[in-house]
Amino acid sequence: MECPFLKTCIFFQDRMNNMPATANVMKKRYCLGDNSQCARFMVAQRLGRDKVPTDLFPNQYDKAKKLTDNN
Ligand code: SF4
């Protein structure tokens, strides 16, 4: 399933600094697969899109969890 944030997500649009070599794999896995497991999606859904850190990658689940737990 396509993530509803695809068009504006800076990760999907390759606008993040230091894009990992595995970015395309992550896009398939999260953005075009199970976005409910994506760290960026989690934060956007729980706290709002403006609260998603610019440097948060989809696989940084623990970081997302800390952010959402504290809010
Ligand atoms: S990185 Fe996450 S929030 Fe962004 S498009 Fe992919 S699944 Fe959606």
Side-chain angles (χ1 to χ4, degrees), residues 3 5-6 9 11-12 30-31 35 38 40-41 58:
C3 175
F5 300 133
L6 272 191
C9 179
F11 173 77
F12 194 79
Y30 299 102
C31 313
N35 46 65
C38 169
R40 296 188 66 85
F41 184 86

Side-chain angles (χ1 to χ4, degrees), residues 12-67:
F12 194 79
Q13 301 296 331
D14 294 320
R15 282 189 274 122
M16 281 173 80
N17 292 329
N18 307 314
M19 284 297 280
T22 51
N24 282 332
V25 176
M26 283 194 222
K27 285 180 188 179
K28 274 199 194 119
R29 174 169 172 192
Y30 299 102
C31 313
L32 305 172
D34 189 359
N35 46 65
S36 69
Q37 301 297 313
C38 169
R40 296 188 66 85
F41 184 86
M42 271 178 61
V43 177
Q45 206 182 34
R46 304 229 177 118
L47 307 179
R49 299 184 61 177
D50 55 327
K51 297 285 192 304
V52 183
T54 51
D55 63 348
L56 184 69
F57 286 105
N59 61 344
Q60 294 179 314
Y61 184 85
D62 290 347
K63 203 169 158 185
K65 197 161 180 334
K66 271 191 202 127
L67 280 169

